[in-house]
Amino acid sequence: MAAAECDVIMAAPEGAGEPESEEEEARREAESFKEQGNAYYAKKDYNEAYNYYTKAIDTCPNNASYYGNRAATLMMLGRFREALGDAQQSVRLDDSFVRGHLREGKCHLSLGNAMAASRCFQRVLELDHKNTQAQQELKNASTVLEYEKIAEVDFEKRDFRKVVFCMDRALEFAPACHRFKILKAECLALLGRYPEAQSVASDILRMDSTNADALYVRGLCLYYEDCIEKAVQFFVQALRMAPDHEKACLACRNAKALKAKKEDGNKAFKEGNYKLAYELYTEALGIDPNNIKTNAKLYCNRGTVNSKLRKLEEAIDDCTNAVKLDDTYIKAYLRRAQCYMDTEQYEDAVRDYEKVYQTEKTKEHKQLLKNAQVELKKSKRKDYYKILGVDKNASEDEIKKAYRKRALMHHPDRHSGASAEVQKEEEKKFKEVGEAFTILSDPKKKARYDSGQDLEEDGLNMGDFDANNIFKAFFGGPGGFSFEGRWKCPTVSFGSGKYTNSLTGRPSFPKLDVLFENSIWLFYIKVSASSWKALHSIPADDWF
């Protein structure tokens, strides 16, 4: 701010030889104080200047220029409210005091009261229509009014960035306006710029610890940073200062409700009541959509509940909502990554674990990333467990039984009457079944396969693989089973609970579970010299 000029009013000449009255003596003393004040003012020692102007006022309280000079000094000290009082007193004593009106207007403008400032500058122009300073200050006041109007509209539109911009521009002309600072701080809090908002509110509270608006904004920052208990304390304090403060009242109510719902949800989760926990977290999410950090935690908590309920896709959605609200929320990334692993979405899991490890380079996070990368690599190979239709923890016997079933199911001889396309597909499946058995029946190969290592290092070249060799070796050589011998059964007769092959006259079979129609190819396995089993008539688990 440009230094305000002091007013210099010369004392009336004294009558030669005439004794001074008490009033004249007081005026002379007051003038002496004022001149000393002017000297300190010129040296920019505003505190001493203030002291001497105060002495002048105390000595001669009806002089407009003394109040005007002290107002100028207070303005230089940034004490605009006190300066406003002195400026107003100066024009009450002398309504034609141009500098007094100017100072009153500048104090009003600095405090953010642009309408009152405009009236003061217009009064100056009535007294001195060529006053260029008043003309410029009148334009400044109009500019501030315009920024106020724009900010009011943009706040309703929730365009908080624009409000902050308008308040910054307005504060260039009104640096002491707490109202503008509070609005800026509130918008900064709503934008998630909590340290900046706290700084503005704290500056105001240092000057005025009873400012309800500043207390509200301070509480709002804590509330949005998920420090809900501390936030409630500030809201309560704000309501003590201003019981009708609507925003503080609403925020206090929301904070208490949010705290209660979240705690109830946590309690239900710990007790294993996941359905109730889900409902409570959902209700909490509906309380205040603006509370980003708390809602991010609520989404993550609900995602954990969904994962416990094995609703993995819903859990992934909840964690995604959490990281949308807070992209630094490590716990949500970890929870979502685990759900991706459980649903075999390994590329997504790797991406999340990479994000976590980049943020927090711990041994645990490194191992999680490594595990996901291994599973991703494994997922890009053939899934031999899926080909055989067994679990990854299947025993050796289960793997053998699965191979018997699948090998017989896809053997080319069984599909010799099918179309060329079907035959080709079945041959491919038959080969894959053989590959799967070759790997999973060998402990070393299985271990390498399970760990995600390359099987080529074991010298296994699947390009030269012959599934028929595995099949023949498994089912036996000469005298054993072979698809080369086919038994056509044009008729099937039965009696007394047993089926009999009427074509071959073979001994009766045990009772079959499936009734075969005529013209079906049946394959038999010789169990003993006098007993045969129909492969396609007995459940797979009973074949051997």
Side-chain angles (χ1 to χ4, degrees), residues 123-142:
R123 176 56 181 157
V124 172
L125 292 174
E126 289 172 8
L127 295 170
D128 178 9
H129 68 278
K130 293 183 178 180
N131 192 298
T132 56
Q133 188 177 3
Q135 291 171 354
Q136 182 58 52
E137 293 293 352
L138 192 58
K139 290 180 182 178
N140 294 343
S142 297

Side-chain angles (χ1 to χ4, degrees), residues 469-509:
N469 291 336
I470 300 297
F471 186 84
K472 289 177 180 179
F474 190 87
F475 284 96
F481 177 81
S482 173
F483 273 101
E484 295 173 358
R486 293 174 179 161
W487 294 82
K488 186 171 183 180
C489 186
T491 61
V492 175
S493 61
F494 62 93
S496 186
K498 294 183 178 181
Y499 291 101
T500 304
N501 187 324
S502 60
L503 180 64
T504 64
R506 294 286 183 183
S508 299
F509 296 100

Side-chain angles (χ1 to χ4, degrees), residues 58-207:
D58 291 341
T59 305
C60 189
N62 295 319
N63 189 305
S65 70
Y66 299 165
Y67 286 100
N69 282 4
R70 192 169 71 172
T73 303
L74 289 167
M75 289 169 69
M76 298 308 298
L77 290 169
R79 295 158 61 179
F80 292 99
R81 293 194 182 279
E82 297 171 72
L84 176 61
D86 277 351
Q88 289 173 328
Q89 179 62 18
S90 73
V91 297
R92 277 194 290 268
L93 293 170
D94 182 1
D95 186 53
S96 64
F97 187 22
V98 171
R99 286 187 177 176
H101 286 294
L102 270 173
R103 288 168 185 151
E104 181 186 0
K106 291 180 75 172
C107 287
H108 277 307
L109 187 57
S110 294
L111 292 166
N113 193 345
M115 289 293 292
S118 296
R119 289 193 292 270
C120 293
F121 299 137
Q122 287 167 352
R123 176 56 181 157
V124 172
L125 292 174
E126 289 172 8
L127 295 170
D128 178 9
H129 68 278
K130 293 183 178 180
N131 192 298
T132 56
Q133 188 177 3
Q135 291 171 354
Q136 182 58 52
E137 293 293 352
L138 192 58
K139 290 180 182 178
N140 294 343
S142 297
T143 300
V144 171
L145 285 171
E146 186 64 24
Y147 280 128
E148 280 191 82
K149 290 178 183 177
I150 295 171
E152 184 178 355
V153 173
D154 287 330
F155 189 88
E156 291 298 320
K157 293 179 180 178
R158 301 186 66 80
D159 189 350
F160 302 125
R161 284 184 176 81
K162 195 170 180 182
V163 176
V164 171
F165 171 82
C166 288
M167 290 301 94
D168 280 337
R169 301 291 80 75
L171 284 165
E172 292 175 2
F173 302 103
C177 181
H178 286 180
R179 184 163 47 88
F180 293 169
K181 290 178 180 179
I182 289 294
L183 181 56
K184 174 185 174 180
E186 183 178 2
C187 289
L188 287 170
L190 292 169
L191 289 169
R193 294 160 62 179
Y194 307 120
E196 295 172 75
Q198 288 175 3
S199 177
V200 174
S202 297
D203 286 344
I204 294 172
L205 289 172
R206 274 192 289 272
M207 292 182 283

Side-chain angles (χ1 to χ4, degrees), residues 192-474:
R193 294 160 62 179
Y194 307 120
E196 295 172 75
Q198 288 175 3
S199 177
V200 174
S202 297
D203 286 344
I204 294 172
L205 289 172
R206 274 192 289 272
M207 292 182 283
D208 179 10
S209 62
T210 65
N211 189 300
D213 291 324
L215 289 168
Y216 159 71
V217 171
R218 187 73 181 86
L220 196 64
C221 291
L222 291 166
Y223 172 62
Y224 284 149
E225 289 185 296
D226 198 38
C227 300
I228 296 179
E229 195 168 340
K230 289 184 179 179
V232 169
Q233 295 174 6
F234 275 92
F235 294 144
V236 169
Q237 193 175 351
L239 289 169
R240 280 202 203 99
M241 299 300 110
D244 296 329
H245 200 295
E246 292 182 5
K247 289 183 177 180
C249 184
L250 176 61
C252 190
R253 186 164 62 247
N254 285 345
K256 289 179 178 179
L258 200 54
K259 181 175 182 288
K261 287 290 182 186
K262 184 181 177 184
E263 288 177 349
D264 289 345
N266 292 346
K267 181 181 178 183
F269 179 82
K270 289 177 182 177
E271 292 174 352
N273 192 342
Y274 301 131
K275 183 178 179 182
L276 177 59
Y278 178 90
E279 292 172 356
L280 290 167
Y281 288 141
T282 301
E283 289 173 12
L285 282 165
I287 292 174
D288 184 2
N290 293 322
N291 195 322
I292 293 172
K293 282 202 171 182
T294 301
N295 287 344
K297 291 183 179 180
L298 289 169
Y299 271 120
C300 187
N301 287 358
R302 196 173 73 174
T304 303
V305 171
N306 275 323
S307 69
K308 290 289 186 182
L309 295 170
R310 303 311 295 167
K311 297 180 178 179
L312 297 179
E313 290 301 329
E314 289 90 338
I316 289 171
D317 289 341
D318 277 338
C319 292
T320 298
N321 285 326
V323 298
K324 281 181 180 177
L325 293 175
D326 182 2
D327 63 0
T328 65
Y329 193 10
I330 295 299
K331 188 176 179 180
Y333 283 110
L334 288 170
R335 172 62 57 190
R336 186 172 70 174
Q338 183 57 57
C339 290
Y340 281 140
M341 292 290 287
D342 292 341
T343 54
E344 298 183 2
Q345 301 178 62
Y346 299 120
E347 288 187 5
D348 292 322
V350 168
R351 184 194 65 234
D352 278 356
Y353 282 133
E354 284 177 342
K355 171 75 174 178
V356 170
Y357 185 62
Q358 287 169 4
T359 306
E360 295 182 359
K361 295 184 181 297
T362 66
K363 289 183 179 180
E364 180 185 359
H365 294 160
K366 184 178 182 179
Q367 187 60 47
L368 288 169
L369 174 59
K370 183 179 179 181
N371 292 344
Q373 289 169 334
V374 168
E375 291 301 322
L376 174 60
K377 182 179 179 181
K378 288 162 62 176
S379 71
K380 294 182 180 297
R381 308 171 308 172
K382 291 179 181 178
D383 188 339
Y384 290 138
Y385 290 102
K386 189 176 290 185
I387 288 171
L388 288 183
V390 295
D391 184 77
K392 292 182 179 180
N393 298 316
S395 66
E396 184 178 347
D397 285 342
E398 288 172 332
I399 290 171
K400 286 181 179 179
K401 286 182 180 180
Y403 171 70
R404 292 186 189 107
K405 180 178 178 180
R406 295 297 173 105
L408 291 169
M409 185 185 301
H410 298 297
H411 195 285
D413 283 353
R414 186 179 181 188
H415 304 280
S416 60
S419 66
E421 184 178 350
V422 171
Q423 288 186 42
K424 185 177 181 180
E425 181 63 26
E426 293 299 326
E427 286 176 8
K428 177 183 176 183
K429 290 180 179 178
F430 180 69
K431 181 179 179 181
E432 288 178 340
V433 168
E435 287 181 17
F437 180 71
T438 299
I439 300 304
L440 299 184
S441 62
D442 184 315
K444 289 184 178 180
K445 291 185 175 68
K446 183 176 183 294
R448 294 183 66 82
Y449 175 78
D450 288 343
S451 65
Q453 297 181 58
D454 292 328
L455 298 174
E456 286 75 8
E457 294 179 13
D458 282 340
L460 183 63
N461 186 351
M462 290 303 181
D464 299 331
F465 177 79
D466 188 346
N468 282 303
N469 291 336
I470 300 297
F471 186 84
K472 289 177 180 179
F474 190 87

